[in-house]
Amino acid sequence: MKRDSFDLHACDYSDARGERVSMTSPHGIRFTLVSAGAQDILLDYRKGAAAIWLGLVLEGELHSAEGGDVYGPGALLYGGEKTVLHATFPGSHKLLLALVPTALMRRRLPADLPGQPGLLTRDSAPAILLADLLKSVAANLPEASQDMLSPVEMVLPEFILAAVLENAEAKSLGGAAGRRASMLDRVRQAIEMRLEDPDLRLSDVADQFGVSQRYIQKLFETTGDSFGSYVKDRRLEHCRADMSNPNFADKTISDILFHWGFNDSPSFSRAFRARYGVTPRDFRRSAHLPTPCEQRNCSN
């Protein structure tokens, strides 16, 4: 369990049983399904890489030591790598955990995730869709393959972003700063919808929202970024994901880079190497797509 950052504090030894199934997607999203009896655990990712975690209660009850709250089936909790969850399960339970590297959502998450585990509300459409996706993963995880996880890891970060941003408290996004954060999120979503367009320009996005180009640039400057850098980075991330996706094995590197809006191979190769430290050709040649037996780690 320590491999998945679980620290078992106590358990009911008269009902000491448990099963854990873990898989890691090609881009490092780790899914862990735990079924066990009564126990007291500490979920602590502080020693790992920057990530956001999600915990979906599938069966039983989770009692949070931090706030004294009780969460039943369907509750979806989240937090950053600095957020520790001390949970007590008074009886049999099933829990799905997903650990998502923040690199997959680079520069797109709120600056500060909650210090305590947060609850994604059930009346939020993005949170409902996110929970449904995770339930599907949980139902299929014991027999899952890389082919199944590849499309999941493509959409999961987008669902997380939409759910977390919608869940942000009004006071934390209030005033002028809140309005700018809200507008920046809308701009980023608009860009995401048009990444495949090689003619996407700053002026297009400014016109879409009825604001000046300078205003859009200032929005990105609040996060130490720029419009051009953000667009290029998002395109690179999609290209990298497609090049390691077995579903696109028949696509050439040129097919992929042109699909995501790059205009020529040389500039793409330079940008890719600067971002990831390896050429696209070498990355694709060395990309290892583990078999289900290599990725799955089951214990009883």
Side-chain angles (χ1 to χ4, degrees), residues 104-105 108-110 126 130 156-166 185 189 234:
L104 298 180
M105 297 170 281
R108 303 177 69 204
L109 277 170
L130 177 57
L156 185 59
E158 298 302 322
F159 278 122
I160 293 174
L161 285 164
V164 170
L165 288 169
E166 184 162 311
D185 179 52
Q189 292 294 333
R234 291 298 300 144

Side-chain angles (χ1 to χ4, degrees), residues 6-203:
F6 282 89
D7 186 3
L8 182 63
H9 280 203
C11 71
D12 181 357
Y13 289 99
S14 66
D15 187 26
R17 58 182 175 80
E19 180 179 1
R20 176 183 63 84
V21 180
S22 293
M23 284 192 71
T24 302
S25 73
H27 290 103
I29 300 178
R30 186 165 183 81
F31 298 96
T32 302
L33 180 64
V34 177
S35 301
Q39 60 180 352
D40 184 353
I41 67 169
L42 185 69
L43 185 64
D44 187 353
Y45 293 114
R46 287 177 294 182
K47 294 182 180 179
I52 182 172
W53 58 264
L54 302 168
L56 177 64
V57 181
L58 296 165
E59 297 176 8
E61 287 186 346
L62 184 159
H63 294 225
S64 171
E66 284 79 12
D69 298 308
V70 178
Y71 303 104
L76 182 56
L77 304 174
Y78 75 103
E81 72 275 4
K82 297 180 181 179
T83 310
V84 177
L85 173 63
H86 186 183
T88 297
F89 297 94
S92 296
H93 63 279
K94 182 179 288 187
L95 176 72
L96 177 72
L97 285 160
L99 184 65
V100 185
T102 54
L104 298 180
M105 297 170 281
R106 191 168 177 255
R107 299 179 295 190
R108 303 177 69 204
L109 277 170
D112 296 309
L113 290 171
Q116 302 292 336
L119 175 68
L120 294 175
T121 58
R122 298 183 188 183
D123 58 355
S124 161
I128 292 172
L129 292 171
L130 177 57
D132 287 343
L133 176 63
L134 293 174
K135 287 176 184 176
S136 178
V137 171
N140 292 280
L141 194 60
E143 293 81 32
S145 67
Q146 289 294 311
D147 287 345
M148 176 200 136
L149 289 185
S150 290
V152 171
E153 71 175 358
M154 292 292 292
V155 299
L156 185 59
E158 298 302 322
F159 278 122
I160 293 174
L161 285 164
V164 170
L165 288 169
E166 184 162 311
N167 194 66
E169 296 182 4
K171 65 181 181 181
S172 69
L173 294 176
R179 288 191 295 273
R180 287 193 297 269
S182 178
M183 174 62 84
L184 180 57
D185 179 52
R186 292 169 59 200
V187 167
R188 285 169 167 169
Q189 292 294 333
I191 291 172
E192 201 70 24
M193 296 296 292
R194 295 188 57 186
L195 281 177
E196 299 174 20
D197 181 3
D199 297 320
L200 175 61
R201 301 287 185 271
L202 172 59
S203 58

Side-chain angles (χ1 to χ4, degrees), residues 217-278:
Q217 287 287 29
K218 279 186 169 293
L219 290 178
F220 281 99
E221 287 172 6
T222 62
T223 61
D225 208 344
S226 71
F227 174 85
S229 176
Y230 180 81
V231 171
K232 181 174 69 174
D233 197 59
R234 291 298 300 144
R235 284 173 170 163
L236 286 170
E237 288 174 9
H238 279 286
C239 288
R240 180 175 179 265
D242 285 0
M243 284 193 292
S244 61
N245 189 331
N247 294 323
F248 300 135
D250 61 332
K251 301 291 185 183
T252 67
I253 293 176
S254 293
D255 290 336
I256 292 172
L257 72 91
F258 286 123
H259 173 79
W260 287 111
F262 284 98
N263 290 311
D264 63 87
S265 295
S267 62
F268 166 75
S269 294
R270 288 192 296 270
F272 191 94
R273 185 166 188 169
R275 173 73 173 86
Y276 301 111
V278 64

